[in-house]
Amino acid sequence: MSDYVLFQMWGPFRQSLIAGHRFYVEQAQKRLLSQFEDIEAEADKAADEWLEKSSGRFDPDRHDPGEFYEAANDAGIEFYSLLSGMRDQTSLSVVAGMFHEWDKQLRDWLVREIQHWHHGDVAALKVWSADFVQIAELLESLGWKIASTGYFCQLDACRLVVNVYKHGKGKSLEDLKQKFPEYLEDPFGGSGGAFSGVEHRDHTHLKVTKDQFHAFSGAIVAFWQAVPENIFESQVKDVPDWFGKALLKDRTGQPQGKTK
């Protein structure tokens, strides 16, 4: 008896996914993230420009030069703070775009492969609406043991970071605190004070460093590289209940959302 291939990752398609991802990362660095590489110097320039613009108001008989220099320094600090905030938001936006593209490509591949051997819309729609944990369960049921891999752990962290960036406070923030607190910056710089613990941090402390960004990117590449070339019917044991029910609804013609 022949063993039917349920899912197949065609070599050139795999390479196109990886190439597209690397292009996104390269261009994001070149066109967006590189603009924030020297914000300290830009803050110093902003302080100098404040002094230059304000020099016409300086009266040596009435003004203390020190106050003007202090005000210029404050202007530089404010500029640095605003620009660093913009840098962090841009980095998070790039990470979110990268993760969402990977997520959509994965679901699209799964659905297209399913449609080779299964007819009906319910299963396809469930794959698109399933959450990250459910998709992981489906992949595990196909014989692809990804849960314990380093790249999948990174993808899980990326998912939580993106959710916190998008929604702020909520379950993802609490999960991030418990599982990956390194993405919540310590506002006290690791001083060890009473309020430096992760329990006092929230979505406003979310930050992704350059190294963390590259780790996320590397995890996506590693994921696509690890997708089995062929997943045979004999490898599939017990699919998740949500997926099995969706397949059954398609086979029995039961409308989606209607349960017995």
Side-chain angles (χ1 to χ4, degrees):
M1 183 179 293
S2 60
D3 197 359
Y4 194 78
V5 176
L6 297 181
F7 297 86
Q8 187 172 59
M9 176 56 72
W10 187 48
F13 180 62
R14 185 199 309 272
Q15 293 307 313
S16 72
L17 290 169
I18 294 173
H21 167 73
R22 285 176 168 159
F23 178 84
Y24 176 93
V25 171
E26 177 186 327
Q27 294 302 313
Q29 290 177 310
K30 179 180 179 181
R31 299 174 184 274
L32 297 172
L33 303 180
S34 65
Q35 306 300 314
F36 301 96
E37 289 182 350
D38 198 8
I39 62 176
E40 292 85 357
E42 292 189 59
D44 291 339
K45 182 180 178 181
D48 292 340
E49 290 176 348
W50 188 95
L51 273 178
E52 183 177 346
K53 291 178 181 177
S54 303
S55 61
R57 296 188 289 107
F58 179 70
D59 184 346
D61 294 329
R62 295 186 302 112
H63 296 136
D64 179 357
E67 292 180 355
F68 265 67
Y69 281 104
E70 184 176 351
N73 184 62
D74 289 342
I77 292 174
E78 180 183 24
F79 184 90
Y80 178 87
S81 177
L82 292 171
L83 200 57
S84 62
M86 182 179 291
R87 174 197 60 196
D88 295 343
Q89 291 298 307
T90 301
S91 296
L92 289 167
S93 178
V94 168
V95 169
M98 182 174 71
F99 178 83
H100 287 314
E101 184 65 12
W102 166 78
D103 183 66
K104 287 185 292 185
Q105 289 173 336
L106 171 60
R107 293 168 195 265
D108 184 63
W109 173 72
L110 287 170
V111 167
R112 283 189 288 104
E113 293 302 301
I114 290 169
Q115 289 173 338
H116 289 314
W117 48 267
H118 173 80
H119 299 290
D121 296 329
V122 177
L125 291 173
K126 285 299 292 183
V127 170
W128 279 108
S129 65
D131 62 28
F132 182 86
V133 174
Q134 290 175 316
I135 292 296
E137 290 173 348
L138 177 59
L139 297 178
E140 285 272 333
S141 75
L142 302 180
W144 181 12
K145 303 305 179 184
I146 63 171
S148 61
T149 65
Y151 62 80
F152 191 75
C153 182
Q154 283 287 333
L155 288 170
D156 191 27
C158 189
R159 169 185 70 93
L160 291 175
V161 165
V162 170
N163 284 348
V164 173
Y165 169 59
K166 182 178 180 180
H167 301 293
K169 293 183 179 180
K171 185 180 184 301
S172 290
L173 175 60
E174 297 308 312
D175 288 346
L176 192 67
K177 287 182 180 182
Q178 292 295 321
K179 299 171 68 175
F180 310 105
E182 61 270 26
Y183 299 100
L184 297 169
E185 188 178 33
D186 182 358
F188 298 98
S191 62
F195 295 99
S196 63
V198 69
E199 66 272 14
H200 297 291
R201 302 173 208 170
D202 61 22
H203 62 285
T204 63
H205 301 114
L206 186 67
K207 185 175 182 179
V208 173
T209 67
K210 183 182 293 187
D211 288 342
Q212 290 168 338
F213 170 67
H214 285 297
F216 287 156
S217 171
I220 290 176
V221 172
F223 177 91
W224 288 128
Q225 289 174 334
V227 176
E229 183 177 354
N230 293 300
I231 296 176
F232 293 92
E233 187 175 8
S234 61
Q235 296 175 255
V236 181
K237 305 303 179 184
D238 296 319
V239 296
D241 190 52
W242 64 267
F243 186 64
K245 288 181 177 179
L247 294 176
L248 184 60
K249 285 182 180 181
D250 277 329
R251 289 166 184 163
T252 60
Q254 184 176 337
Q256 185 186 16
K258 185 177 181 179
T259 57
K260 295 183 180 180

